[in-house]
């Protein structure tokens, strides 16, 4: 699609592929997931090729987060269940590193959420809790203006604290 648009730059294509991937993760029906899975994966891989060798960029960090999330959510679909957990963690960690380098708290928080999901799937509940607490600290940054995401982070911190048995501290985040 993006090649047909005149004067479209590479970042437009990366953004388009990423947004398609992010929306794909929101699909609820298995039939829809199966129908579009390979198309979405192809787009994300194309976007990954486009950012290869590029200096750090916000869209690159977002793309790496979207790839980690794609693999995480695809692991629930039998056809993709064999995807390597290491690949998922690699993309999440790369997104975290890039967002840190760019000093971008919103993108860093999203990348950390992907990493927390991975830790949760691996049963690494203490690591998940540490990531959730780090996200909470990031959400206090004045550049972090998404109130809905701040509430979401508080809930995730509460859930993470509950999962390690710290119910008293969890209540302060959940109430």
């Amino acid at each position: 699609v993006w090649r047909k648009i005149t004067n479209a730059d590479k970042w437009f294509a990366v953004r388009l592929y990423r947004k398609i991937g992010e929306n794909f993760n929101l699909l609820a029906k298995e039939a829809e997931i199966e129908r579009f899975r390979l198309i979405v994966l192809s787009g994300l891989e194309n976007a990954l090729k486009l950012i290869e060798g590029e200096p750090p960029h916000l869209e690159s960090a977002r793309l790496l987060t979207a790839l980690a999330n794609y693999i995480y959510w695809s692991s629930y679909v039998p056809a993709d269940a064999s995807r390597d957990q290491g690949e998922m963690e690699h993309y999440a960690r790369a997104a975290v590193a890039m967002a840190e380098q760019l000093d971008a708290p919103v993108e860093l928080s999203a990348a950390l959420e992907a990493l927390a999901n991975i830790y949760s799937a691996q049963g690494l509940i203490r690591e998940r809790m540490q990531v959730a607490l780090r996200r909470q600290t990031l959400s206090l940054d004045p550049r972090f203006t998404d109130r809905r995401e701040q509430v979401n982070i508080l809930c995730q911190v509460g859930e993470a604290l509950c999962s390690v048995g710290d119910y008293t501290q969890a209540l302060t985040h959940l109430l």
Side-chain angles (χ1 to χ4, degrees), residues 123-138:
L124 302 172
I125 58 174
R126 296 222 174 267
E127 290 83 350
R128 174 185 171 227
M129 180 194 65
Q130 291 302 319
V131 170
L133 290 169
R134 184 170 176 203
R135 289 186 71 218
Q136 181 186 15
T137 301
L138 281 171

Side-chain angles (χ1 to χ4, degrees), residues 6-162:
T6 56
N7 300 324
D9 68 11
K10 145 169 62 178
W11 295 112
F12 176 83
V14 171
R15 187 175 304 111
L16 177 64
Y17 287 133
R18 173 187 54 86
K19 287 185 179 226
I20 291 169
E22 288 173 345
N23 284 304
F24 176 77
N25 289 330
L26 300 174
L27 293 175
K29 298 178 183 168
E30 191 172 326
E32 292 171 332
I33 291 172
E34 189 55 36
R35 181 175 165 203
F36 296 109
R37 183 177 57 80
L38 295 177
I39 296 168
V40 171
L41 179 59
S42 174
L44 290 170
E45 288 172 343
N46 284 336
L48 194 58
K49 289 175 188 170
L50 289 171
I51 69 168
E52 218 171 79
E54 288 290 327
H57 191 282
L58 286 176
E59 270 310 316
S60 298
R62 293 173 187 144
L63 173 66
L64 292 167
T65 300
L67 275 159
N69 286 328
Y70 171 87
I71 296 169
Y72 172 77
W73 289 110
S74 294
S75 67
Y76 292 99
V77 177
D80 253 358
S82 63
R83 296 241 12 173
D84 183 17
Q85 294 274 328
E87 182 183 19
M88 181 176 22
E89 190 169 343
H90 165 76
Y91 288 130
R93 288 188 179 282
V96 167
M98 189 175 293
E100 286 174 336
Q101 189 175 358
L102 293 167
D103 189 29
V106 173
E107 286 73 13
L108 179 54
S109 177
L112 286 168
E113 181 178 19
L115 188 58
N117 288 339
I118 294 162
Y119 286 158
S120 181
Q122 294 172 345
L124 302 172
I125 58 174
R126 296 222 174 267
E127 290 83 350
R128 174 185 171 227
M129 180 194 65
Q130 291 302 319
V131 170
L133 290 169
R134 184 170 176 203
R135 289 186 71 218
Q136 181 186 15
T137 301
L138 281 171
S139 74
L140 301 174
D141 186 301
R143 296 171 291 169
F144 203 109
T145 58
D146 186 341
R147 298 289 178 234
R148 181 176 291 155
E149 186 60 15
Q150 287 172 327
V151 170
N152 181 36
I153 290 169
L154 286 175
C155 291
Q156 289 178 4
V157 169
E159 291 170 6
L161 289 166
C162 280

